[in-house]
Amino acid sequence: MSCSRRKLLKSAMTATLAASLPISAFRFLSPAECRAATGTEGTRWVFLIDTNKCVGCGFCVKACKKENEIPYDAPVTRTWVERYVVTEDRKTHIDSPMGGRDGFIDPKIRGEELVDPENIAKTFFVPKLCNQCDNPPCVQVCPVGATYQTGDGVTLVDREWCIGCGYCIMACPYGVRFFHPVHRVADKCTFCYHLISKGRQTACVDACPFGARRIGNLLDQDDPVTRIIMTERVAVLKDEYGTKPQAFYLGLDRNVR
Amino acid sequence: MTQELIVHGAEWTEKLLYVYPNEYIYWSIQIVMYPYMTGLVAGAFVLSSLYHVFGQKDLREMARFSLVFSLALLPVAMMPLMLHLQQPLRGIYVMFTPHFTSAIAAFGIVFSTYAAIVLTEIWFVYREYFVQQTIALQGKEGLAHRSKRVLYHILTLGAYNTDPAAIAKDKKAVKIMAAIGIPVAGFLHGYAGFIFGSVKANALWMSPLMPVIFIMSAVVSGIALCMLTYIIIMEWKKLKATLAKGRGDESVIDIRGAEMDVISKTARYLMMFLVAAISLEILDLIFRGYTAMKSWDILRSVMFDADFFKIFILQYGLGNALPFIMLLLPGLTIRRTAVALVLVLFGVFMMRWNVVIGGQAFSLSFEGFMHYHLPIIPHDMETFKEGLFGALTVAATPFILFWGLNKILPTLTIGNR
């Protein structure tokens, strides 16, 4: 096929004109406009848990289940509270009946082991939720990109796109993910993203009568949560997996799993 | 409880000591079947390539057979994945929006590439046969003959040239396809190992050796299945010949001789790969024990207490050591080989089981255990899909497909001519 210069220029002109109409439908955004549109610049949501203040009442678990519509009686939960009982013989007994939803009213561990109160060296409660990792393994392994990290550091699941393979559940070292009993897709704690992105608190933070749970913005130097993380001795769970967890703990014991 | 809740995994998981609330055996029998079936595909293909690429003449008989068998196994590698998805209708999204940091995302691409290679290779192997059939069936009456002719006519794709030069070209193409196919088959299965080996949250799975272990055991199982199916078909032929012509007939003796010859030669390759697979697995185990990382305590208690029988008796003992000795002892007979092959297949299956289910036998908290109870009698879709019958459906499908494929692509008659 031959093509003269005149013909080439003519076709190029036509193509340019034809393309300019649909292209003009797009608008170029300035970086500032982009930032405003996404609205996440300058925010990194983090969680602070003061285990010294937790009494294991389970209000947080109840509130979470209701707020996020996780079937109340299903044995899965976005957040849970663990009870640790360390005995004088240096044995650790752990339980979390129904995720600690109804509190810890039974002195028996898992309803079977009864620990002699005289024999207890220490006992405490540890609330758990998604660590909203900086390097989330669950996002890495999702084969369809249905789980993703928002600009402000929260990992979410697209219920319309999740194929339900369970790879993310397997990849999470903290066991925070599960299959939603109704939607039948992967589900996890979102830090109540629908609330915090509107300036409100998470359901669990709201429900905690003792201030054991707090949420904050790590990029805001004046945020009280950030101040504590910066100035006090905080720990994270399972650092060794390289996930860079962003739920910080005060008073974390070495027995905590 | 007002509404029926299906907490995936709660049905078949039994928790012991402290297990996180959301932990269940999420990956059940179908995920055991998945690497098992892909392993068989890859293994069957590698076996056929040993003849086509490396010119291992002793595998000539086996080559066509295992090539078509790997085609029959191909769709079945996908089946367990579909059966285990919570949203099976969305399975195709893996092709639409592959997220390439995920090992599973590559599945669509690797799998289709592999399928294309197998189909191309088969076409080149059988092209001459397609042409012959089209000519032979010409002018024959009857709907069956005519539709068969149309089918072969389409399968030739219009390439009717059967000059020696054209046939030589076909052979060359087969060789090239088989050569490309080996790394792709290796990759197809190696990455199945990678899916597990790269899960850093799982203490049992996370190992760089995992993909290699998976490939080796895949080849072992693939060869074993091809040999076993070959034996069954040859025995059937022998039986037919015996019934028609009597025990001492020449053709019966012929079949017996040919069968033993093929089997004893293929068995050598089987043993080579078996040794490689076991060595790697033992190396992995020794390394874990010696380095004794944080997870070793719980792994040890799973391996040496809860799953001791499954790992050391069923997998290593019954599935590896015993068949190895059986194949090694002099005076190998068809019957002994068949038993050894069944044991080898069982051993590889147990290896998959011990990896997939064993990897979920302990809690991420390292403070508790989970037991898996395989649903046997299904009472809903989930217990069917992820139960004994779902697994049996997957296991039976390749044989049905192979039977169907054999009608169009005869695997054994060609070799005899």
Side-chain angles (χ1 to χ4, degrees), chain B residues 110-264:
Chain B
V110 178
F111 187 79
S112 344
T113 312
Y114 181 68
I117 288 169
V118 172
L119 285 170
T120 316
E121 189 179 332
I122 287 180
W123 186 76
F124 279 116
V125 169
Y126 281 91
R127 194 184 68 86
E128 192 187 359
Y129 176 77
F130 294 153
V131 175
Q132 285 165 353
Q133 286 298 305
T134 317
I135 294 163
L137 290 165
Q138 202 151 27
K140 281 201 180 173
E141 288 301 314
L143 186 69
H145 283 303
R146 261 186 295 160
S147 49
K148 214 170 168 186
R149 189 177 169 270
V150 170
L151 179 70
Y152 281 120
H153 186 72
I154 294 166
L155 284 173
T156 60
L157 301 177
Y160 285 101
N161 192 348
T162 50
D163 291 346
I167 298 299
K169 263 190 182 173
D170 282 359
K171 287 213 170 116
K172 200 176 164 198
V174 168
K175 200 169 175 171
I176 293 169
M177 290 326 287
I180 305 170
I182 293 176
V184 177
F187 195 75
L188 176 74
H189 198 69
Y191 107 94
F194 187 86
I195 288 177
F196 295 97
S198 65
V199 177
K200 61 184 171 187
N202 192 302
L204 185 74
W205 293 347
M206 197 194 156
S207 161
L209 283 182
M210 201 58 106
V212 197
I213 293 176
F214 264 57
I215 291 176
M216 290 305 158
S217 51
V219 177
V220 169
S221 64
I223 295 178
L225 185 64
C226 284
M227 284 171 75
L228 193 64
T229 318
Y230 181 80
I231 289 179
I232 292 166
I233 292 172
M234 292 304 269
E235 286 298 311
W236 173 245
K237 279 179 134 187
K238 208 161 70 183
L239 184 71
K240 275 206 288 194
T242 314
L243 288 177
K245 295 169 191 164
R247 212 162 224 290
D249 194 80
E250 212 171 293
S251 66
V252 179
I253 295 161
D254 261 8
I255 295 172
R256 191 174 299 150
E259 184 187 4
M260 200 54 231
D261 193 43
V262 170
I263 288 303
S264 60

Side-chain angles (χ1 to χ4, degrees), chain B residues 51 56-66 230 234 237 258 262 411-412 414-417:
Chain B
Y51 165 68
Q56 302 287 348
K57 295 252 165 11
D58 43 1
L59 293 176
R60 190 167 171 271
E61 271 289 289
M62 240 11 218
R64 257 173 225 274
F65 180 81
S66 52
Y230 181 80
M234 292 304 269
K237 279 179 134 187
V262 170
T411 47
L412 292 167
I414 287 188
N416 292 346
R417 262 186 302 161

Side-chain angles (χ1 to χ4, degrees), chain B residues 134-395:
Chain B
T134 317
I135 294 163
L137 290 165
Q138 202 151 27
K140 281 201 180 173
E141 288 301 314
L143 186 69
H145 283 303
R146 261 186 295 160
S147 49
K148 214 170 168 186
R149 189 177 169 270
V150 170
L151 179 70
Y152 281 120
H153 186 72
I154 294 166
L155 284 173
T156 60
L157 301 177
Y160 285 101
N161 192 348
T162 50
D163 291 346
I167 298 299
K169 263 190 182 173
D170 282 359
K171 287 213 170 116
K172 200 176 164 198
V174 168
K175 200 169 175 171
I176 293 169
M177 290 326 287
I180 305 170
I182 293 176
V184 177
F187 195 75
L188 176 74
H189 198 69
Y191 107 94
F194 187 86
I195 288 177
F196 295 97
S198 65
V199 177
K200 61 184 171 187
N202 192 302
L204 185 74
W205 293 347
M206 197 194 156
S207 161
L209 283 182
M210 201 58 106
V212 197
I213 293 176
F214 264 57
I215 291 176
M216 290 305 158
S217 51
V219 177
V220 169
S221 64
I223 295 178
L225 185 64
C226 284
M227 284 171 75
L228 193 64
T229 318
Y230 181 80
I231 289 179
I232 292 166
I233 292 172
M234 292 304 269
E235 286 298 311
W236 173 245
K237 279 179 134 187
K238 208 161 70 183
L239 184 71
K240 275 206 288 194
T242 314
L243 288 177
K245 295 169 191 164
R247 212 162 224 290
D249 194 80
E250 212 171 293
S251 66
V252 179
I253 295 161
D254 261 8
I255 295 172
R256 191 174 299 150
E259 184 187 4
M260 200 54 231
D261 193 43
V262 170
I263 288 303
S264 60
K265 279 169 183 161
T266 322
R268 257 179 261 154
Y269 292 92
L270 176 78
M271 284 196 282
M272 261 161 37
F273 283 104
L274 192 61
V275 169
I278 302 170
S279 313
L280 286 166
E281 281 173 55
I282 301 289
L283 175 66
D284 188 62
L285 183 65
I286 291 171
F287 216 79
R288 283 170 195 277
Y290 192 78
T291 54
M293 303 286 275
K294 193 178 173 184
S295 56
W296 176 242
D297 277 339
I298 191 102
L299 286 184
R300 188 175 49 192
S301 57
V302 167
M303 284 179 191
F304 296 108
D305 290 334
D307 283 1
F308 182 84
F309 184 71
K310 278 183 238 157
I311 295 174
F312 291 97
I313 308 294
L314 294 183
Q315 183 189 329
Y316 289 125
L318 209 57
N320 293 344
L322 184 61
F324 189 76
I325 295 166
M326 285 172 81
L327 291 172
L328 213 59
L329 285 177
L332 193 65
T333 59
I334 288 292
R335 195 173 300 164
R336 175 142 57 94
T337 315
V339 175
L341 291 173
V342 172
L343 288 176
V344 166
L345 282 170
F346 172 73
V348 175
F349 179 80
M350 280 317 289
M351 181 261 176
R352 307 293 191 231
W353 179 285
N354 290 327
V355 168
V356 177
I357 306 295
Q360 298 169 84
F362 55 93
S363 165
L364 293 168
S365 67
F366 295 164
E367 290 291 336
F369 302 94
M370 288 190 282
H371 284 312
Y372 175 59
H373 298 287
L374 176 73
I376 296 181
I377 308 291
H379 58 78
D380 57 9
M381 197 56 195
E382 188 150 287
T383 43
F384 167 74
K385 281 195 328 182
E386 304 206 28
L388 181 66
F389 287 96
L392 288 178
T393 310
V394 170

Side-chain angles (χ1 to χ4, degrees), chain A residues 44 129-141 149 153 155 168 170-176 236-248, chain B residues 198-202:
Chain A
R44 204 315 169 189
L129 74 172
C130 175
N131 289 272
Q132 310 294 0
C133 304
D134 249 353
N135 182 22
C138 51
V139 172
Q140 182 187 31
V141 301
Q149 200 179 18
T155 297
C168 57
M170 289 296 144
C172 176
Y174 307 97
V176 304
V236 289
L237 294 170
K238 300 187 183 183
D239 200 20
E240 66 272 21
Y241 289 102
T243 54
K244 299 182 183 130
Q246 300 295 313
F248 298 89
Chain B
S198 65
V199 177
K200 61 184 171 187
N202 192 302

Side-chain angles (χ1 to χ4, degrees), chain A residues 77 140-141 162 165 167 184, chain B residues 22 84 90 101-102 195 382:
Chain A
T77 178
Q140 182 187 31
V141 301
C162 173
C165 67
Y167 205 8
R184 328 235 37 204
Chain B
N22 297 331
H84 119 277
R90 296 182 189 169
T101 58
S102 166
I195 288 177
E382 188 150 287

